[in-house]
Amino acid sequence: MRRTMLVALALAALTPLAAPAQDTRPGIAVMPFENGGSYGREKEDFEALQQGIPAMLISELAKNQAARVVDRSDINRILNEQNLATQGRVDAATAARVGKIVGARYMIMGGFTDYYGKMRIDARIVDVETSEILKVVSSQKEREKLFDMINDVALAIMANTKLPPLPAEQAAVQRHIPTEALTYYSRALLYQDRGDKEKATEFYNRALAVFPDYTEAKEGLQKVGNS
């Protein structure tokens, strides 16, 4: 009996472990957005939205389980390592290069313009394999509906990357994040990226004071506290 058990253990040790299943879902990564020349707000608000808009776009895209969405921190790390963060505009070929590094199938580049409360968001879908811009999607509304614009762009990206639509029960659950909360959240990201934990914490809390159910702000606050 003992010998049989020892043989079984030896055979088990020689049996190779099953390799983890490879994630074959198409990867989507979102670059920081460009400020196309905005007026009517503090300069730092617009600087913050360059990170805040793509961060919320990532959250909306991540709802679609048919895609693998690349974390914002991974993109920022690559941009810094490749010295691209300070070079201004990034073209489609450069975005595709970043996409290959992070294993993305599609890269999303975009920009926004806020002209005294009238906003427009544009996003370009780049095929990482060919560096070709497949489609430009846009949304234009009053600034008070900033989150609605982000949601519109996310749905258009899903459609133009041939992702299946969200299940009906999931699509029916719509959030309405106030623009004030989203702006505070964006400022928190800006300070967090700068390494200013105190200011990041302050603005995450401001976002939650306006919108207590702001999941991304709660997660950001926790991340700052744990770092």
Side-chain angles (χ1 to χ4, degrees), residues 150-163:
I150 294 171
N151 187 56
D152 289 347
V153 170
L155 292 174
I157 290 170
M158 291 180 201
N160 285 281
T161 52
K162 297 181 173 58
L163 294 176

Side-chain angles (χ1 to χ4, degrees), residues 135-150:
K135 186 76 174 180
V136 178
V137 297
S138 304
S139 183
Q140 185 169 345
K141 290 179 171 41
E142 297 295 320
R143 191 176 200 277
E144 287 73 17
K145 297 181 178 180
L146 175 56
F147 181 72
D148 291 344
M149 283 187 275
I150 294 171

